[in-house]
Amino acid sequence: MGDPLGIGPEVVVKALNQDSFHRLCHPLVIGDPAVLRQTVAGLGLALQIIEVKGIGFEGEPGKIFLLPASSLPTGKDLQKLARDDSARASFAYIEKAVRLALTGEVPGIVTGPVNKEAIHRSGIPFRGHTEYLAEISQTKKFVMMLAGESLRVALVTTHIPYAAVAESLNEEGILNVIEVTSQGLRDFFRISAPRLGVAALNPHAGEGGLFGNEERVIAGAVRKAQGKGLNVSGPWPADTLFHRAVQGEFDAVVCMYHDQALIPLKLLHFDSAVNITLGLPFIRTSVDHGVAYDLAGRGLASSRSLEEAIRLAAQMTLWRQGAGGKE
Amino acid sequence: MGDPLGIGPEVVVKALNQDSFHRLCHPLVIGDPAVLRQTVAGLGLALQIIEVKGIGFEGEPGKIFLLPASSLPTGKDLQKLARDDSARASFAYIEKAVRLALTGEVPGIVTGPVNKEAIHRSGIPFRGHTEYLAEISQTKKFVMMLAGESLRVALVTTHIPYAAVAESLNEEGILNVIEVTSQGLRDFFRISAPRLGVAALNPHAGEGGLFGNEERVIAGAVRKAQGKGLNVSGPWPADTLFHRAVQGEFDAVVCMYHDQALIPLKLLHFDSAVNITLGLPFIRTSVDHGVAYDLAGRGLASSRSLEEAIRLAAQMTLWRQGAGGKE
């Protein structure tokens, strides 16, 4: 459900108010009954909140099935909840979801927006969803991938300063991202031999060492991946690579840094891209936005990103099972 | 005409084979008569090459007006020209064009593809078109801008290594780019109060200093520009800024580094973007590709980029004169 003080509850309710999801999957919300009921009422919707103790229900239009994981003192105004209580509750939802995923009761989880700093300040050591999920599932190699309809990007480095990227690149790290991405596309997207294009770091891929030579490290990783039989090439000049991917030459682009990946992705798929963590023992997708406290409680938030995240998680489950048709 | 050994002559001939240009401007080619005639013949076209000594002609369909600036020993196979001769000739074309532009005989120049290294090796100190044009016209503040139909980008740094960008950023340099870009959009694009969005360097614009703090330098330049009455804002997170520009919020995006600008530009305008040098005392546009020696002489090169560069230079001339309608 995400942080109760953010737009999480609102986008959950708006997304699950659409009947179409029930043809694709049986969504189970993990969150707070009072918060969700108040959100439904605030939006003037007729959705019923059905509390359950686990799976075993059949989803049906008009109903949201909820596994309660907090009972917050909501009062009249949701926005008056204590931030610490809200943050701790948002962490409890994640914990419970992961437990269901690790025991195989659910094939995957979709995470709503939480506030990292608020969780941390409430006394829970927490560096972010992805890091927590990797740690608790003892996953060493995981990759942040973002996927839109015409472009998928996988990141070698994520939230670090621009100036720290070059020194963070090493053959092993890049090779890991290539391998996990390739495996992820095979397992969850039914692409039998994923074609990966790897981006260079420097302009014109360094123009033969004239503008930097990190391309040697990247080339080393690409060669090793090729040696393992993977369909991967690069380093390619980044300014033309995304066009080539969109034209159908690559199934995903491996990017060296955050904005290299996010600039083209958000340009093409501004509010429909889904954040996916590959490498975990379960499926995990996420909304591509934050808690947006300033927008919360006003009924104005768009549930598009969450809808896409749910749809993709469901689709990935079918693809993994060998059903659902070819990508 | 660009380097005779490259695809320059071919794209010049193909572009000027289109009657539509004559309604917009009177193109004068500066190049080699024999090379152009052989190119026309090789392409099986019926274009006439008319040698002139300067301006004062009226362009007309079916004819290319040429100011000769070399007489290369072409022989039967253009591709057998000595590389040094070809490089020196390509430099002579630029020299002659600049002279015409500096004396006001022509309002602007459109440059074809040359080979920097070949010119340099042939004994002429040459660091690139833009640098040469700035030097010879004694221009201190100039900006590389790339423009497509829905996005314009201006670059603070250009062809330097990724790792050298952060330390290259300073308030004065960024302010210069903001000012020259703003002035250029007013003078040549008829935008009376250009709205510029300035990109951040770090992911999420540094998230309050968490991922780097070059944003402070950028913010300083933005404040100074605002103090001078310019309509400029930022630093904005780069991953959403280009979407905002395309949606119409900004007339141009000021970018900190090559790929930050070129990734979104080439994704949207792969073969139709035009390279413009702002700040010179004359109009200058350029093709957005290189000599492509491997493609030369085969008749396969696309003249799309040159056509757009000619069209835009002509349009900029009209806009500067206050004609040609609002942008």
Side-chain angles (χ1 to χ4, degrees), chain A residues 159-160 162 165 202-204 211 239 243 257-259 266 270, chain B residues 159-160 162 165 202-204 211 238-239 243 257-259 266 270:
Chain A
H159 296 105
I160 61 172
Y162 175 96
V165 169
N202 292 295
H204 305 186
F211 319 133
D239 58 355
H243 172 79
Y257 57 98
H258 183 276
D259 280 1
K266 294 214 167 177
F270 187 69
Chain B
H159 295 106
I160 61 173
Y162 175 96
V165 169
N202 292 296
H204 306 185
F211 319 134
D239 58 355
H243 171 79
Y257 57 98
H258 182 277
D259 280 2
K266 294 213 167 179
F270 187 69

PDB file of all heavy atoms in Angstrom, chain A residues 159-160 162 165 202-204 211 239 243 257-259 266 270, chain B residues 159-160 162 165 202-204 211 238-239 243 257-259 266 270:
ATOM      1  N   HIS A 159      21.896   5.381  -7.695  1.00  0.00           N
ATOM      2  CA  HIS A 159      21.799   6.689  -7.029  1.00  0.00           C
ATOM      3  C   HIS A 159      23.115   7.097  -6.394  1.00  0.00           C
ATOM      4  O   HIS A 159      23.264   7.085  -5.172  1.00  0.00           O
ATOM      5  CB  HIS A 159      20.649   6.679  -6.027  1.00  0.00           C
ATOM      6  CG  HIS A 159      19.320   6.505  -6.699  1.00  0.00           C
ATOM      7  ND1 HIS A 159      18.615   5.345  -6.668  1.00  0.00           N
ATOM      8  CD2 HIS A 159      18.611   7.356  -7.482  1.00  0.00           C
ATOM      9  CE1 HIS A 159      17.497   5.480  -7.379  1.00  0.00           C
ATOM     10  NE2 HIS A 159      17.477   6.691  -7.889  1.00  0.00           N
ATOM     11  N   ILE A 160      24.063   7.476  -7.238  1.00  0.00           N
ATOM     12  CA  ILE A 160      25.355   7.981  -6.766  1.00  0.00           C
ATOM     13  C   ILE A 160      25.652   9.259  -7.545  1.00  0.00           C
ATOM     14  O   ILE A 160      25.054   9.499  -8.593  1.00  0.00           O
ATOM     15  CB  ILE A 160      26.494   6.949  -6.955  1.00  0.00           C
ATOM     16  CG1 ILE A 160      26.679   6.593  -8.446  1.00  0.00           C
ATOM     17  CG2 ILE A 160      26.204   5.675  -6.168  1.00  0.00           C
ATOM     18  CD1 ILE A 160      27.908   5.727  -8.715  1.00  0.00           C
ATOM     19  N   TYR A 162      27.184  12.004 -10.063  1.00  0.00           N
ATOM     20  CA  TYR A 162      27.740  11.913 -11.419  1.00  0.00           C
ATOM     21  C   TYR A 162      29.234  11.611 -11.364  1.00  0.00           C
ATOM     22  O   TYR A 162      29.736  10.725 -12.055  1.00  0.00           O
ATOM     23  CB  TYR A 162      27.493  13.246 -12.146  1.00  0.00           C
ATOM     24  CG  TYR A 162      28.131  13.339 -13.522  1.00  0.00           C
ATOM     25  CD1 TYR A 162      27.393  13.047 -14.666  1.00  0.00           C
ATOM     26  CD2 TYR A 162      29.465  13.708 -13.682  1.00  0.00           C
ATOM     27  CE1 TYR A 162      27.970  13.121 -15.917  1.00  0.00           C
ATOM     28  CE2 TYR A 162      30.055  13.785 -14.929  1.00  0.00           C
ATOM     29  CZ  TYR A 162      29.306  13.490 -16.044  1.00  0.00           C
ATOM     30  OH  TYR A 162      29.886  13.563 -17.287  1.00  0.00           O
ATOM     31  N   VAL A 165      30.669   7.974 -10.790  1.00  0.00           N
ATOM     32  CA  VAL A 165      30.311   6.871 -11.690  1.00  0.00           C
ATOM     33  C   VAL A 165      31.541   6.218 -12.321  1.00  0.00           C
ATOM     34  O   VAL A 165      31.714   4.996 -12.253  1.00  0.00           O
ATOM     35  CB  VAL A 165      29.338   7.353 -12.794  1.00  0.00           C
ATOM     36  CG1 VAL A 165      29.165   6.304 -13.875  1.00  0.00           C
ATOM     37  CG2 VAL A 165      27.986   7.703 -12.182  1.00  0.00           C
ATOM     38  N   ASN A 202      31.667   7.456 -22.294  1.00  0.00           N
ATOM     39  CA  ASN A 202      32.140   8.716 -22.851  1.00  0.00           C
ATOM     40  C   ASN A 202      31.438   9.069 -24.158  1.00  0.00           C
ATOM     41  O   ASN A 202      30.912   8.189 -24.839  1.00  0.00           O
ATOM     42  CB  ASN A 202      33.653   8.629 -23.085  1.00  0.00           C
ATOM     43  CG  ASN A 202      34.419   8.545 -21.775  1.00  0.00           C
ATOM     44  OD1 ASN A 202      34.403   9.489 -20.984  1.00  0.00           O
ATOM     45  ND2 ASN A 202      35.057   7.409 -21.525  1.00  0.00           N
ATOM     46  N   PRO A 203      31.446  10.374 -24.527  1.00  0.00           N
ATOM     47  CA  PRO A 203      30.838  10.757 -25.809  1.00  0.00           C
ATOM     48  C   PRO A 203      31.534  10.024 -26.964  1.00  0.00           C
ATOM     49  O   PRO A 203      32.746   9.783 -26.902  1.00  0.00           O
ATOM     50  CB  PRO A 203      31.071  12.269 -25.891  1.00  0.00           C
ATOM     51  CG  PRO A 203      32.081  12.605 -24.860  1.00  0.00           C
ATOM     52  CD  PRO A 203      32.009  11.540 -23.813  1.00  0.00           C
ATOM     53  N   HIS A 204      30.776   9.638 -27.980  1.00  0.00           N
ATOM     54  CA  HIS A 204      31.306   8.877 -29.125  1.00  0.00           C
ATOM     55  C   HIS A 204      32.043   7.626 -28.659  1.00  0.00           C
ATOM     56  O   HIS A 204      33.015   7.211 -29.294  1.00  0.00           O
ATOM     57  CB  HIS A 204      32.264   9.727 -29.980  1.00  0.00           C
ATOM     58  CG  HIS A 204      31.686  11.021 -30.458  1.00  0.00           C
ATOM     59  ND1 HIS A 204      32.359  11.840 -31.322  1.00  0.00           N
ATOM     60  CD2 HIS A 204      30.511  11.633 -30.211  1.00  0.00           C
ATOM     61  CE1 HIS A 204      31.633  12.926 -31.557  1.00  0.00           C
ATOM     62  NE2 HIS A 204      30.499  12.816 -30.895  1.00  0.00           N
ATOM     63  N   PHE A 211      38.539  10.718 -25.856  1.00  0.00           N
ATOM     64  CA  PHE A 211      37.740  11.327 -24.777  1.00  0.00           C
ATOM     65  C   PHE A 211      37.488  10.309 -23.673  1.00  0.00           C
ATOM     66  O   PHE A 211      36.354   9.977 -23.366  1.00  0.00           O
ATOM     67  CB  PHE A 211      36.351  11.795 -25.263  1.00  0.00           C
ATOM     68  CG  PHE A 211      36.293  12.465 -26.599  1.00  0.00           C
ATOM     69  CD1 PHE A 211      35.333  12.085 -27.534  1.00  0.00           C
ATOM     70  CD2 PHE A 211      37.162  13.503 -26.926  1.00  0.00           C
ATOM     71  CE1 PHE A 211      35.240  12.709 -28.757  1.00  0.00           C
ATOM     72  CE2 PHE A 211      37.078  14.132 -28.154  1.00  0.00           C
ATOM     73  CZ  PHE A 211      36.119  13.734 -29.075  1.00  0.00           C
ATOM     74  N   ASP A 239      24.516   8.045 -27.575  1.00  0.00           N
ATOM     75  CA  ASP A 239      23.552   8.958 -28.195  1.00  0.00           C
ATOM     76  C   ASP A 239      22.748   8.330 -29.326  1.00  0.00           C
ATOM     77  O   ASP A 239      21.685   8.833 -29.665  1.00  0.00           O
ATOM     78  CB  ASP A 239      24.214  10.280 -28.635  1.00  0.00           C
ATOM     79  CG  ASP A 239      25.342  10.077 -29.614  1.00  0.00           C
ATOM     80  OD1 ASP A 239      25.697   8.919 -29.908  1.00  0.00           O
ATOM     81  OD2 ASP A 239      25.893  11.087 -30.092  1.00  0.00           O
ATOM     82  N   HIS A 243      18.009   4.877 -29.800  1.00  0.00           N
ATOM     83  CA  HIS A 243      17.266   4.852 -31.061  1.00  0.00           C
ATOM     84  C   HIS A 243      17.319   3.442 -31.660  1.00  0.00           C
ATOM     85  O   HIS A 243      16.296   2.904 -32.105  1.00  0.00           O
ATOM     86  CB  HIS A 243      17.879   5.866 -32.028  1.00  0.00           C
ATOM     87  CG  HIS A 243      17.330   5.804 -33.422  1.00  0.00           C
ATOM     88  ND1 HIS A 243      16.123   6.361 -33.765  1.00  0.00           N
ATOM     89  CD2 HIS A 243      17.817   5.234 -34.542  1.00  0.00           C
ATOM     90  CE1 HIS A 243      15.893   6.136 -35.048  1.00  0.00           C
ATOM     91  NE2 HIS A 243      16.907   5.459 -35.542  1.00  0.00           N
ATOM     92  N   TYR A 257      24.947   4.704 -15.972  1.00  0.00           N
ATOM     93  CA  TYR A 257      24.547   5.597 -14.878  1.00  0.00           C
ATOM     94  C   TYR A 257      23.081   6.001 -15.008  1.00  0.00           C
ATOM     95  O   TYR A 257      22.464   5.848 -16.070  1.00  0.00           O
ATOM     96  CB  TYR A 257      25.463   6.831 -14.800  1.00  0.00           C
ATOM     97  CG  TYR A 257      25.548   7.653 -16.069  1.00  0.00           C
ATOM     98  CD1 TYR A 257      24.780   8.814 -16.227  1.00  0.00           C
ATOM     99  CD2 TYR A 257      26.394   7.288 -17.103  1.00  0.00           C
ATOM    100  CE1 TYR A 257      24.865   9.583 -17.378  1.00  0.00           C
ATOM    101  CE2 TYR A 257      26.476   8.047 -18.268  1.00  0.00           C
ATOM    102  CZ  TYR A 257      25.706   9.188 -18.397  1.00  0.00           C
ATOM    103  OH  TYR A 257      25.789   9.940 -19.553  1.00  0.00           O
ATOM    104  N   HIS A 258      22.560   6.483 -13.890  1.00  0.00           N
ATOM    105  CA  HIS A 258      21.143   6.796 -13.723  1.00  0.00           C
ATOM    106  C   HIS A 258      20.542   7.594 -14.878  1.00  0.00           C
ATOM    107  O   HIS A 258      19.607   7.156 -15.544  1.00  0.00           O
ATOM    108  CB  HIS A 258      20.969   7.563 -12.403  1.00  0.00           C
ATOM    109  CG  HIS A 258      19.554   7.905 -12.058  1.00  0.00           C
ATOM    110  ND1 HIS A 258      18.922   9.019 -12.560  1.00  0.00           N
ATOM    111  CD2 HIS A 258      18.648   7.280 -11.277  1.00  0.00           C
ATOM    112  CE1 HIS A 258      17.694   9.070 -12.097  1.00  0.00           C
ATOM    113  NE2 HIS A 258      17.498   8.024 -11.307  1.00  0.00           N
ATOM    114  N   ASP A 259      21.088   8.787 -15.153  1.00  0.00           N
ATOM    115  CA  ASP A 259      20.452   9.640 -16.157  1.00  0.00           C
ATOM    116  C   ASP A 259      20.636   9.104 -17.578  1.00  0.00           C
ATOM    117  O   ASP A 259      19.800   9.368 -18.449  1.00  0.00           O
ATOM    118  CB  ASP A 259      20.984  11.076 -16.060  1.00  0.00           C
ATOM    119  CG  ASP A 259      20.300  11.853 -14.932  1.00  0.00           C
ATOM    120  OD1 ASP A 259      19.451  11.261 -14.231  1.00  0.00           O
ATOM    121  OD2 ASP A 259      20.615  13.042 -14.753  1.00  0.00           O
ATOM    122  N   LYS A 266      12.291   8.079 -19.685  1.00  0.00           N
ATOM    123  CA  LYS A 266      11.187   8.977 -19.315  1.00  0.00           C
ATOM    124  C   LYS A 266      10.738   9.838 -20.488  1.00  0.00           C
ATOM    125  O   LYS A 266       9.608  10.327 -20.508  1.00  0.00           O
ATOM    126  CB  LYS A 266      11.599   9.849 -18.130  1.00  0.00           C
ATOM    127  CG  LYS A 266      11.805   9.013 -16.863  1.00  0.00           C
ATOM    128  CD  LYS A 266      11.410   9.761 -15.605  1.00  0.00           C
ATOM    129  CE  LYS A 266      11.343   8.784 -14.450  1.00  0.00           C
ATOM    130  NZ  LYS A 266      11.044   9.431 -13.175  1.00  0.00           N
ATOM    131  N   PHE A 270       6.813   8.536 -20.138  1.00  0.00           N
ATOM    132  CA  PHE A 270       6.855   9.431 -18.988  1.00  0.00           C
ATOM    133  C   PHE A 270       6.136   8.887 -17.768  1.00  0.00           C
ATOM    134  O   PHE A 270       6.661   8.898 -16.677  1.00  0.00           O
ATOM    135  CB  PHE A 270       6.289  10.809 -19.359  1.00  0.00           C
ATOM    136  CG  PHE A 270       6.475  11.794 -18.255  1.00  0.00           C
ATOM    137  CD1 PHE A 270       7.750  12.231 -17.941  1.00  0.00           C
ATOM    138  CD2 PHE A 270       5.404  12.260 -17.519  1.00  0.00           C
ATOM    139  CE1 PHE A 270       7.950  13.136 -16.907  1.00  0.00           C
ATOM    140  CE2 PHE A 270       5.599  13.164 -16.481  1.00  0.00           C
ATOM    141  CZ  PHE A 270       6.871  13.598 -16.179  1.00  0.00           C
TER     142      PHE A 270
ATOM    143  N   HIS B 159      33.022  17.877 -26.439  1.00  0.00           N
ATOM    144  CA  HIS B 159      33.768  16.641 -26.651  1.00  0.00           C
ATOM    145  C   HIS B 159      34.913  16.485 -25.663  1.00  0.00           C
ATOM    146  O   HIS B 159      36.080  16.650 -26.006  1.00  0.00           O
ATOM    147  CB  HIS B 159      34.254  16.573 -28.093  1.00  0.00           C
ATOM    148  CG  HIS B 159      33.113  16.481 -29.058  1.00  0.00           C
ATOM    149  ND1 HIS B 159      32.705  17.523 -29.848  1.00  0.00           N
ATOM    150  CD2 HIS B 159      32.248  15.462 -29.307  1.00  0.00           C
ATOM    151  CE1 HIS B 159      31.647  17.157 -30.562  1.00  0.00           C
ATOM    152  NE2 HIS B 159      31.348  15.919 -30.258  1.00  0.00           N
ATOM    153  N   ILE B 160      34.557  16.160 -24.426  1.00  0.00           N
ATOM    154  CA  ILE B 160      35.554  15.879 -23.387  1.00  0.00           C
ATOM    155  C   ILE B 160      35.132  14.594 -22.690  1.00  0.00           C
ATOM    156  O   ILE B 160      33.981  14.165 -22.813  1.00  0.00           O
ATOM    157  CB  ILE B 160      35.665  17.029 -22.363  1.00  0.00           C
ATOM    158  CG1 ILE B 160      34.329  17.262 -21.634  1.00  0.00           C
ATOM    159  CG2 ILE B 160      36.103  18.327 -23.054  1.00  0.00           C
ATOM    160  CD1 ILE B 160      34.435  18.267 -20.491  1.00  0.00           C
ATOM    161  N   TYR B 162      33.804  11.873 -20.032  1.00  0.00           N
ATOM    162  CA  TYR B 162      32.760  11.905 -18.995  1.00  0.00           C
ATOM    163  C   TYR B 162      33.346  12.412 -17.681  1.00  0.00           C
ATOM    164  O   TYR B 162      32.799  13.290 -17.033  1.00  0.00           O
ATOM    165  CB  TYR B 162      32.189  10.490 -18.810  1.00  0.00           C
ATOM    166  CG  TYR B 162      31.187  10.358 -17.679  1.00  0.00           C
ATOM    167  CD1 TYR B 162      29.824  10.436 -17.932  1.00  0.00           C
ATOM    168  CD2 TYR B 162      31.620  10.154 -16.362  1.00  0.00           C
ATOM    169  CE1 TYR B 162      28.903  10.322 -16.895  1.00  0.00           C
ATOM    170  CE2 TYR B 162      30.712  10.049 -15.323  1.00  0.00           C
ATOM    171  CZ  TYR B 162      29.359  10.125 -15.590  1.00  0.00           C
ATOM    172  OH  TYR B 162      28.453  10.019 -14.557  1.00  0.00           O
ATOM    173  N   VAL B 165      33.902  16.261 -16.948  1.00  0.00           N
ATOM    174  CA  VAL B 165      32.785  17.214 -17.017  1.00  0.00           C
ATOM    175  C   VAL B 165      32.588  17.976 -15.705  1.00  0.00           C
ATOM    176  O   VAL B 165      32.548  19.209 -15.693  1.00  0.00           O
ATOM    177  CB  VAL B 165      31.478  16.500 -17.431  1.00  0.00           C
ATOM    178  CG1 VAL B 165      30.272  17.406 -17.253  1.00  0.00           C
ATOM    179  CG2 VAL B 165      31.578  16.035 -18.882  1.00  0.00           C
ATOM    180  N   ASN B 202      23.680  15.851 -11.520  1.00  0.00           N
ATOM    181  CA  ASN B 202      23.533  14.614 -10.761  1.00  0.00           C
ATOM    182  C   ASN B 202      22.123  14.046 -10.856  1.00  0.00           C
ATOM    183  O   ASN B 202      21.176  14.776 -11.156  1.00  0.00           O
ATOM    184  CB  ASN B 202      23.889  14.893  -9.294  1.00  0.00           C
ATOM    185  CG  ASN B 202      25.370  15.202  -9.124  1.00  0.00           C
ATOM    186  OD1 ASN B 202      26.211  14.346  -9.371  1.00  0.00           O
ATOM    187  ND2 ASN B 202      25.681  16.437  -8.741  1.00  0.00           N
ATOM    188  N   PRO B 203      21.972  12.736 -10.583  1.00  0.00           N
ATOM    189  CA  PRO B 203      20.626  12.151 -10.598  1.00  0.00           C
ATOM    190  C   PRO B 203      19.733  12.858  -9.579  1.00  0.00           C
ATOM    191  O   PRO B 203      20.215  13.246  -8.501  1.00  0.00           O
ATOM    192  CB  PRO B 203      20.859  10.685 -10.205  1.00  0.00           C
ATOM    193  CG  PRO B 203      22.236  10.599  -9.667  1.00  0.00           C
ATOM    194  CD  PRO B 203      23.001  11.740 -10.241  1.00  0.00           C
ATOM    195  N   HIS B 204      18.453  13.027  -9.909  1.00  0.00           N
ATOM    196  CA  HIS B 204      17.503  13.742  -9.038  1.00  0.00           C
ATOM    197  C   HIS B 204      18.030  15.126  -8.667  1.00  0.00           C
ATOM    198  O   HIS B 204      17.757  15.624  -7.581  1.00  0.00           O
ATOM    199  CB  HIS B 204      17.207  12.980  -7.742  1.00  0.00           C
ATOM    200  CG  HIS B 204      16.740  11.565  -7.955  1.00  0.00           C
ATOM    201  ND1 HIS B 204      16.340  10.752  -6.931  1.00  0.00           N
ATOM    202  CD2 HIS B 204      16.616  10.813  -9.073  1.00  0.00           C
ATOM    203  CE1 HIS B 204      15.993   9.570  -7.398  1.00  0.00           C
ATOM    204  NE2 HIS B 204      16.152   9.579  -8.706  1.00  0.00           N
ATOM    205  N   PHE B 211      23.496  13.238  -3.559  1.00  0.00           N
ATOM    206  CA  PHE B 211      24.264  12.638  -4.669  1.00  0.00           C
ATOM    207  C   PHE B 211      25.032  13.714  -5.404  1.00  0.00           C
ATOM    208  O   PHE B 211      24.817  13.916  -6.601  1.00  0.00           O
ATOM    209  CB  PHE B 211      23.365  11.945  -5.700  1.00  0.00           C
ATOM    210  CG  PHE B 211      22.223  11.144  -5.152  1.00  0.00           C
ATOM    211  CD1 PHE B 211      20.958  11.279  -5.707  1.00  0.00           C
ATOM    212  CD2 PHE B 211      22.404  10.248  -4.128  1.00  0.00           C
ATOM    213  CE1 PHE B 211      19.888  10.537  -5.245  1.00  0.00           C
ATOM    214  CE2 PHE B 211      21.337   9.496  -3.653  1.00  0.00           C
ATOM    215  CZ  PHE B 211      20.080   9.647  -4.212  1.00  0.00           C
ATOM    216  N   ALA B 238      17.480  15.947 -14.785  1.00  0.00           N
ATOM    217  CA  ALA B 238      17.574  15.785 -16.238  1.00  0.00           C
ATOM    218  C   ALA B 238      16.601  14.745 -16.769  1.00  0.00           C
ATOM    219  O   ALA B 238      16.177  14.818 -17.920  1.00  0.00           O
ATOM    220  CB  ALA B 238      18.999  15.421 -16.633  1.00  0.00           C
ATOM    221  N   ASP B 239      16.231  13.760 -15.929  1.00  0.00           N
ATOM    222  CA  ASP B 239      15.427  12.665 -16.491  1.00  0.00           C
ATOM    223  C   ASP B 239      14.001  13.073 -16.846  1.00  0.00           C
ATOM    224  O   ASP B 239      13.359  12.396 -17.646  1.00  0.00           O
ATOM    225  CB  ASP B 239      15.454  11.415 -15.591  1.00  0.00           C
ATOM    226  CG  ASP B 239      14.958  11.686 -14.187  1.00  0.00           C
ATOM    227  OD1 ASP B 239      14.672  12.847 -13.862  1.00  0.00           O
ATOM    228  OD2 ASP B 239      14.858  10.714 -13.406  1.00  0.00           O
ATOM    229  N   HIS B 243      11.274  15.770 -21.315  1.00  0.00           N
ATOM    230  CA  HIS B 243       9.841  15.566 -21.501  1.00  0.00           C
ATOM    231  C   HIS B 243       9.099  16.898 -21.348  1.00  0.00           C
ATOM    232  O   HIS B 243       8.237  17.245 -22.155  1.00  0.00           O
ATOM    233  CB  HIS B 243       9.335  14.545 -20.468  1.00  0.00           C
ATOM    234  CG  HIS B 243       7.850  14.400 -20.410  1.00  0.00           C
ATOM    235  ND1 HIS B 243       7.151  13.657 -21.326  1.00  0.00           N
ATOM    236  CD2 HIS B 243       6.926  14.931 -19.575  1.00  0.00           C
ATOM    237  CE1 HIS B 243       5.860  13.729 -21.044  1.00  0.00           C
ATOM    238  NE2 HIS B 243       5.698  14.493 -19.982  1.00  0.00           N
ATOM    239  N   TYR B 257      26.518  18.205 -20.418  1.00  0.00           N
ATOM    240  CA  TYR B 257      27.488  17.366 -21.128  1.00  0.00           C
ATOM    241  C   TYR B 257      26.869  16.749 -22.382  1.00  0.00           C
ATOM    242  O   TYR B 257      25.650  16.711 -22.547  1.00  0.00           O
ATOM    243  CB  TYR B 257      28.075  16.286 -20.210  1.00  0.00           C
ATOM    244  CG  TYR B 257      27.069  15.363 -19.560  1.00  0.00           C
ATOM    245  CD1 TYR B 257      26.790  14.107 -20.088  1.00  0.00           C
ATOM    246  CD2 TYR B 257      26.393  15.744 -18.397  1.00  0.00           C
ATOM    247  CE1 TYR B 257      25.884  13.252 -19.496  1.00  0.00           C
ATOM    248  CE2 TYR B 257      25.477  14.904 -17.793  1.00  0.00           C
ATOM    249  CZ  TYR B 257      25.221  13.656 -18.351  1.00  0.00           C
ATOM    250  OH  TYR B 257      24.302  12.819 -17.765  1.00  0.00           O
ATOM    251  N   HIS B 258      27.758  16.301 -23.248  1.00  0.00           N
ATOM    252  CA  HIS B 258      27.419  15.814 -24.584  1.00  0.00           C
ATOM    253  C   HIS B 258      26.238  14.834 -24.610  1.00  0.00           C
ATOM    254  O   HIS B 258      25.214  15.086 -25.247  1.00  0.00           O
ATOM    255  CB  HIS B 258      28.671  15.167 -25.196  1.00  0.00           C
ATOM    256  CG  HIS B 258      28.502  14.666 -26.599  1.00  0.00           C
ATOM    257  ND1 HIS B 258      27.940  13.433 -26.895  1.00  0.00           N
ATOM    258  CD2 HIS B 258      28.810  15.225 -27.789  1.00  0.00           C
ATOM    259  CE1 HIS B 258      27.922  13.266 -28.194  1.00  0.00           C
ATOM    260  NE2 HIS B 258      28.441  14.335 -28.774  1.00  0.00           N
ATOM    261  N   ASP B 259      26.377  13.722 -23.899  1.00  0.00           N
ATOM    262  CA  ASP B 259      25.343  12.698 -24.010  1.00  0.00           C
ATOM    263  C   ASP B 259      24.039  13.109 -23.328  1.00  0.00           C
ATOM    264  O   ASP B 259      22.969  12.642 -23.716  1.00  0.00           O
ATOM    265  CB  ASP B 259      25.840  11.362 -23.430  1.00  0.00           C
ATOM    266  CG  ASP B 259      26.725  10.617 -24.431  1.00  0.00           C
ATOM    267  OD1 ASP B 259      26.968  11.148 -25.533  1.00  0.00           O
ATOM    268  OD2 ASP B 259      27.176   9.498 -24.106  1.00  0.00           O
ATOM    269  N   LYS B 266      18.802  12.753 -30.232  1.00  0.00           N
ATOM    270  CA  LYS B 266      18.844  11.738 -31.296  1.00  0.00           C
ATOM    271  C   LYS B 266      17.727  10.713 -31.158  1.00  0.00           C
ATOM    272  O   LYS B 266      17.352  10.073 -32.133  1.00  0.00           O
ATOM    273  CB  LYS B 266      20.209  11.051 -31.309  1.00  0.00           C
ATOM    274  CG  LYS B 266      21.325  12.029 -31.697  1.00  0.00           C
ATOM    275  CD  LYS B 266      22.433  11.360 -32.475  1.00  0.00           C
ATOM    276  CE  LYS B 266      23.329  12.415 -33.083  1.00  0.00           C
ATOM    277  NZ  LYS B 266      24.445  11.857 -33.833  1.00  0.00           N
ATOM    278  N   PHE B 270      16.369  11.470 -35.006  1.00  0.00           N
ATOM    279  CA  PHE B 270      17.561  10.699 -35.336  1.00  0.00           C
ATOM    280  C   PHE B 270      18.328  11.249 -36.519  1.00  0.00           C
ATOM    281  O   PHE B 270      19.531  11.430 -36.469  1.00  0.00           O
ATOM    282  CB  PHE B 270      17.204   9.239 -35.588  1.00  0.00           C
ATOM    283  CG  PHE B 270      18.430   8.394 -35.760  1.00  0.00           C
ATOM    284  CD1 PHE B 270      19.250   8.157 -34.676  1.00  0.00           C
ATOM    285  CD2 PHE B 270      18.767   7.859 -36.995  1.00  0.00           C
ATOM    286  CE1 PHE B 270      20.397   7.397 -34.808  1.00  0.00           C
ATOM    287  CE2 PHE B 270      19.915   7.097 -37.131  1.00  0.00           C
ATOM    288  CZ  PHE B 270      20.726   6.858 -36.039  1.00  0.00           C
TER     289      PHE B 270
END
